[in-house]
Amino acid sequence: MKLRLILGLPLLLAAPSPAAAQCLLCGKDGGGSGLVKRKAETPLRVEVETQLDMGRVAAGAGGGEVEIDPLTGARRVRGNIVDLGGMSLTGTVTVSGEPGAEVRVFLPPTVDLESGDGRTARVVGLATDLGAAPRLGPDGRLQFRFGGRLQVAGASGGDYRGRIPVTVEYQ
């Protein structure tokens, strides 16, 4: 069985600009004659504190998955994958905005990664450690972690990179 090395897999985050992060939620007023803007005078700001990094693993002919749990930060491997040690990291994001405001966080269902030689791998199952109704704290900040599962095809060695768009809107 031949194993190939997949070197550090940092996933860069594409943090939206403050304008893209801010959602001007509107609804009809009681009379239905116009729109009322939600009171959120502070634009949302999304900052990447730590990039998601799956660490170093080796993949055999059958391939497999590497998972980073957003709650515990634990790395698990499945299939024909060998954990070579080293650090793996959950992604960490800080959102700043209107103190006490409820927000929605959106992560894509899949993200394709590329190595320098054009090979691809896919991240699926992106999830955060947030509860059902995340809210900015009294200081206007919310920090959360996220993880996911990297699916590796058999013997696809390389240093894979990609961007994970994180979108945050006022509720």
Side-chain angles (χ1 to χ4, degrees):
M1 166 173 50
K2 184 175 180 184
L3 294 176
R4 295 259 182 154
L5 180 63
I6 299 173
L7 298 174
L9 299 163
L11 301 176
L12 306 175
L13 292 169
S17 68
Q22 180 180 14
C23 175
L24 302 177
L25 294 178
C26 299
K28 296 195 182 224
D29 64 4
S33 61
L35 297 177
V36 177
K37 181 178 156 186
R38 181 193 185 284
K39 184 180 179 210
E41 296 176 13
T42 306
L44 284 169
R45 196 169 97 198
V46 179
E47 291 183 55
V48 177
E49 304 292 336
T50 308
Q51 297 174 7
L52 179 62
D53 191 334
M54 299 291 185
R56 292 181 47 170
V57 298
E65 285 188 342
V66 180
E67 178 181 10
I68 304 295
D69 184 300
L71 297 173
T72 65
R75 175 173 50 195
R76 293 185 276 283
V77 296
R78 293 181 190 90
N80 198 2
I81 301 281
V82 176
D83 187 344
L84 298 176
M87 289 203 48
S88 60
L89 301 168
T90 58
T92 306
V93 175
T94 299
V95 179
S96 302
E98 192 77 30
E102 191 173 340
V103 294
R104 292 184 292 181
V105 176
F106 301 96
L107 295 172
T110 63
V111 175
D112 290 327
L113 309 178
E114 285 190 28
S115 67
D117 63 1
R119 295 182 195 198
T120 61
R122 178 169 279 176
V123 176
V124 299
L126 288 164
T128 71
D129 63 352
L130 293 170
R135 186 174 295 280
L136 300 178
D139 62 351
R141 294 172 39 98
L142 170 69
Q143 189 172 67
F144 65 90
R145 298 183 328 165
F146 70 94
R149 295 186 322 273
L150 173 69
Q151 298 175 330
V152 181
S156 297
D159 184 6
Y160 291 87
R161 295 179 181 272
R163 295 193 179 276
I164 300 173
V166 174
T167 305
V168 180
E169 299 175 344
Y170 282 113
Q171 181 70 6

